[in-house]
Each structure stands twice: as structure tokens, then as C-alpha cells.
Amino acid sequence: MLSRLETLYTDFKNQLNKLNKTNDVLNLKSQILGKTGTLSEILKSLKDATPEERKVLGSKSNQYKNEIEELVQKKLAEIELAEINSTLENSKVDFSLTDSVLEQGLKSSGLHPVSLIQREIEDIFLSMGFEVLDGPHIEDEFHNFEALNIPSDHPARDMQDTFWFQDMKHLLRTHTSTIQVRGMSQRKPPFQFVGPGKVFRNERTDATHEMCFHQLEGMMVGKNITVANLIYFMKTLLKEIFKKDFEIRLRPGFFPFVEPGFELDIRWKKPGKGESPHGGWLELLPCGMVHPNVLKMSGIDPNEYNGFAFGLGLDRLVMVRYGIEDLRHFHSGDLKFVSQFKSF
Ligand code: PHE
């Protein structure tokens, strides 16, 4: 009887080796372990054996039964894996990272132009004694609006079409001014810092609009700060980024968190296209003197301190610097696009 068991086990292994279809494996399993299977027959005949034989044969058959089940599971997993691999091989999509793809990627990839310009501007401000701060993308109403002098009934809320969370209390930050609010309340003047990052607005995508774009806002708070200080820092910044002097002008601009508020324009010629339609002026940089209410809300006494604040659209800056016409390239994930950019 013992030798019958052993032959059964070796035969099973030989047959299993030759199979490569799930159904065949399951059939083989039931031929052996099923109710009328060969192993079950052997187990049934145990009742005629002596108690000693029964003991030995009983434990041996149980051992084989477990091993058979294990081998069947292993085989089924192998078949499944082979099927997945052959589907992938036959599919049109190439999942492999071939040497040439890797090589091309390594050679041609570089920093995204927005990251490139962000890092440059961070360095410029660091060299002028500013800190670089970060802040969360998911914000609350207070940091995005209220602390910036924009209460819930203020029409300026409509200027930024906001992505709200269902609780209607949280939102995706619409500007990096939120970093200013956090920075101000954690510091005692004098201080100066910039805060770069992604911002989100419910914009329809076109050549100059995206629902996710990048800003870098900054501020300086201290005693007797003037618009002349603001202009000095903005001019220095533009000169460093573009490596040339720009003629600039300030126009009145409305933002509830600054008073007075300005739009800073640069005199700019589109490469190869002559003067821009607005007499050669390009709107580049909203800015102004921090509103006393904003200072107060962050625990700073407006009678003692004042300051300036500004906001830079990094995507706009990249478009101007490199003469890019369409913002949609930025999120295209195209290595060829990314690889063209070097620092100025
Ligand atoms: N937070 C403003 C915006 O995103 C920009 C700004 C910053 C304006 C600082 C003035 C001063 O629209």
C-alpha cells in the first residue's frame, strides 16, 4: 500500500510538470484528491488495514495530500504569472525601460523651467537676507481670505474662483499669500521672507490659464519701510532674472491686503514681434504696502511697523523669459520640452 502511495505521488509530480493550463491542473487535482480520486480510494481502504499500518499509512497519505495541494497552488500561480507576462508582451504598450529610453531620459531631462526659475529667485532673495518659507496646499478660509482682509461677503472673493472642499471651510489655496499670513504670525518684525508654491483656481485651461499654477510671494516688514524699498527690491529681482535693466512703471491695483496697491509693469518687446499692444508695457507683478488690518490680524502693531508685499506669477515669468507662447506645455510631461531650459 505504501508503494502505491509513493507511485501515486511521483506520477502526480510528473504529470503536473507537463501541464500549463489552469483547467488541466484542477482536473488532475480532482483525479487524486476528489471524492472518488485515487488518494481518497487509498484512504478508504485503510479501514481494512491493521492499526500499525493505518498509523503509518494515515500520516503518510496526509503528508502527500498536503504536498499535492501545495504543488497545485504553486503551479496555478506560475500559470497565472505566465499569462500576465504573455499579455504584456503582446500588448502594444511598451512597459520596459530600455537602455535607449533611460539614456535619452538621463541625458535630456533637466529641471522643469518653473522649478528652475523658482530656485533662482529663492537664491536671489536668500542672498538679500530673505528667508524661504513653505505652506500647505490645503488651507482654511482664515488663512486664504479673512486674515488678508477679505471677509466672506467681500466681492474680492470672486476674483479667485476657488476649489472648496465639501465642508465649505477648507479649500485649495488660491494664492501663496497664505504663506505670508503664517509667516507673519510666527515672527516678530523686522523680518523678510518669500514663499513659493503651487496655487489652484477653477480656471478653464487655455494658452495662458491653468487650474494649477505657481506663485512666489514675498514681504518685508519693519520700521519706516517705503514704496522706494519695494521698487528697489523688485528692480533688483528683475535684473537678476533677466540679466538686464528694465524700465518699470507702477499703476494703481486693487488687492484688499495692500494699501496702496500697485500693478508693476515692465517695458517689454515680444521677441521678433515688436511692441506689445499696450504701448509696450507688460503687467508682471502685483504689489503694495501691507494693509494695517492685515498686520493687526497677525499680531503686529501697525502704528509701529509697516511693510511691503508682492506676488510673482512664476509661470508668466517663465513664458516671458523663454518666449513660450502656450502654458499648456508646462504640464505636458514632454521630456523634449523640459530639456530645453538652462539657467540664464
Ligand atoms: N495674492 C495676490 C494674487 O494672487 C497677488 C498679490 C500679492 C498682490 C501681494 C499684492 C501683493 O492675486
Side-chain angles (χ1 to χ4, degrees):
M1 194 109 75
L2 198 57
S3 68
R4 254 180 79 196
L5 253 181
E6 264 148 25
T7 344
L8 180 146
Y9 185 59
T10 356
D11 283 355
F12 159 78
K13 283 206 286 193
N14 287 340
Q15 273 176 280
L16 188 70
N17 267 339
K18 288 182 213 133
L19 300 182
N20 53 18
K21 287 207 178 73
T22 307
N23 271 348
D24 295 345
V25 175
L26 292 175
N27 280 340
L28 177 64
K29 180 184 167 192
S30 81
Q31 273 166 35
I32 298 171
L33 300 184
K35 261 194 192 144
T36 52
T38 36
L39 186 69
S40 313
E41 290 302 320
I42 295 179
L43 285 174
K44 271 182 216 153
S45 63
L46 276 183
K47 64 180 190 314
D48 306 324
T50 63
E52 290 81 52
E53 274 179 328
R54 215 181 290 163
K55 210 170 155 198
V56 180
L57 285 171
S59 83
K60 208 68 191 158
S61 4
N62 263 332
Q63 184 196 330
Y64 281 143
K65 188 172 165 235
N66 290 339
E67 278 172 27
I68 289 172
E69 266 166 1
E70 234 169 73
L71 288 173
V72 165
Q73 286 315 320
K74 219 170 123 197
K75 186 75 185 184
L76 288 175
E78 273 171 31
I79 294 175
E80 196 182 354
L81 188 67
E83 276 170 4
I84 292 172
N85 279 335
S86 98
T87 317
L88 288 181
E89 255 164 49
N90 296 332
S91 83
K92 294 210 169 62
V93 184
D94 182 4
F95 292 96
S96 62
L97 212 50
T98 59
D99 284 353
S100 70
V101 171
L102 258 182
E103 214 173 275
Q104 188 214 345
L106 287 175
K107 257 202 229 136
S108 63
S109 67
L111 281 180
H112 192 282
V114 173
S115 311
L116 206 65
I117 221 158
Q118 181 182 320
R119 291 187 186 190
E120 274 178 49
I121 299 176
E122 286 176 9
D123 284 345
I124 295 168
F125 278 106
L126 282 170
S127 77
M128 297 195 289
F130 283 63
E131 292 175 82
V132 178
L133 305 184
D134 200 2
H137 290 170
I138 298 176
E139 267 295 0
D140 51 40
E141 223 177 333
F142 176 77
H143 288 90
N144 201 82
F145 292 123
E146 271 151 34
L148 290 159
N149 211 18
I150 318 177
S152 57
D153 56 356
H154 198 293
R157 285 224 180 168
D158 293 343
M159 285 159 69
Q160 305 182 346
D161 200 346
T162 310
F163 287 116
W164 289 93
F165 282 74
Q166 264 171 358
D167 64 6
M168 289 308 276
K169 289 192 175 73
H170 291 86
L171 47 90
L172 292 178
R173 71 175 178 204
T174 57
H175 49 184
T176 40
S177 307
T178 53
I179 303 179
Q180 300 190 0
V181 174
R182 291 175 182 278
M184 267 190 293
S185 50
Q186 288 158 4
R187 279 166 183 70
K188 294 252 162 296
F191 56 74
Q192 53 276 325
F193 58 77
V194 293
K198 287 189 194 307
V199 298
F200 308 86
R201 291 187 202 175
N202 188 8
E203 303 266 5
R204 188 165 288 175
T205 307
D206 64 25
T208 52
H209 295 90
E210 268 284 6
M211 47 72 60
C212 168
F213 54 102
H214 304 81
Q215 288 187 334
L216 182 142
E217 290 196 24
M219 72 188 324
M220 173 176 251
V221 174
K223 285 193 172 167
N224 303 321
I225 299 204
T226 65
V227 176
N229 298 130
L230 166 65
I231 293 177
Y232 167 78
F233 280 103
M234 297 305 99
K235 274 191 146 177
T236 311
L237 168 71
L238 293 172
K239 186 176 175 174
E240 288 291 325
I241 302 173
F242 292 99
K243 299 288 180 253
K244 66 173 188 183
D245 278 314
F246 275 105
E247 199 186 329
I248 65 157
R249 74 172 182 191
L250 289 187
R251 279 182 297 123
F254 175 70
F255 305 95
F257 33 93
V258 283
E259 180 57 38
F262 310 108
E263 293 284 358
L264 187 149
D265 302 342
I266 57 170
R267 173 87 77 180
W268 185 66
K269 263 188 190 168
K270 229 178 198 182
K273 294 215 170 139
E275 298 261 287
S276 84
H278 312 288
W281 291 105
L282 178 76
E283 181 181 312
L284 197 66
L285 228 159
C287 52
M289 303 305 287
V290 184
H291 196 292
N293 287 352
V294 172
L295 292 173
K296 233 186 276 171
M297 261 183 285
S298 293
I300 296 169
D301 181 359
N303 294 318
E304 207 177 336
Y305 298 105
N306 72 340
F308 66 73
F310 61 92
L312 267 175
L314 294 180
D315 311 74
R316 156 71 68 93
L317 216 53
V318 170
M319 290 174 88
V320 172
R321 184 161 92 165
Y322 297 105
I324 300 165
E325 304 273 340
D326 197 324
L327 189 60
R328 286 167 290 198
H329 289 301
F330 286 19
H331 286 169
S332 67
D334 182 354
L335 273 187
K336 271 199 215 126
F337 171 76
V338 177
S339 63
Q340 309 166 44
F341 302 100
K342 304 247 155 15
S343 299
F344 256 35

